[in-house]
C-alpha cells in the first residue's frame, strides 16, 4: 500500500507508472510448493452459523 501511495504521490511519467503497475499486477502472488496437497479444514456447521450470526460484519 505504501509503495502505491509513493508511486502516485511523486509526479512521474505515466508510462513509467503503467510499466511499474503492470509488473506488480501481472505477477502471480500464489506460491505452491511441489508435491504438497493439504486439504482444507471443514468447520462445524454450528461454528459456521455462530460466525455468520454473531461475528461476521458485511460492509458495502
Amino acid at each position: 500500500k505504501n509503495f502505491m501511495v509513493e508511486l502516485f504521490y511523486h509526479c512521474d511519467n505515466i508510462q513509467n507508472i503503467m510499466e511499474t503497475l503492470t509488473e506488480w499486477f501481472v505477477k502471480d502472488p500464489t506460491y505452491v510448493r511441489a508435491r504438497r496437497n493439504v486439504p482444507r479444514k471443514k468447520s462445524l456447521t454450528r461454528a459456521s452459523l455462530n460466525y455468520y450470526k454473531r461475528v461476521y460484519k458485511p460492509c458495502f
Side-chain angles (χ1 to χ4, degrees), residues 9-46:
Y9 181 73
H10 300 296
C11 295
D12 198 8
N13 186 6
I14 190 69
Q15 190 63 30
N16 293 342
I17 292 175
M18 292 305 292
E19 288 173 6
T20 306
L21 289 175
T22 303
E23 287 176 17
W24 278 87
F25 288 123
V26 168
K27 293 180 181 178
D28 185 13
T30 305
Y31 299 103
V32 178
R33 288 193 268 178
R35 297 178 304 278
R36 185 160 196 263
N37 184 10
V38 179
R40 294 184 179 193
K41 291 187 223 176
K42 294 293 257 178
S43 61
L44 297 174
T45 307
R46 181 178 40 119

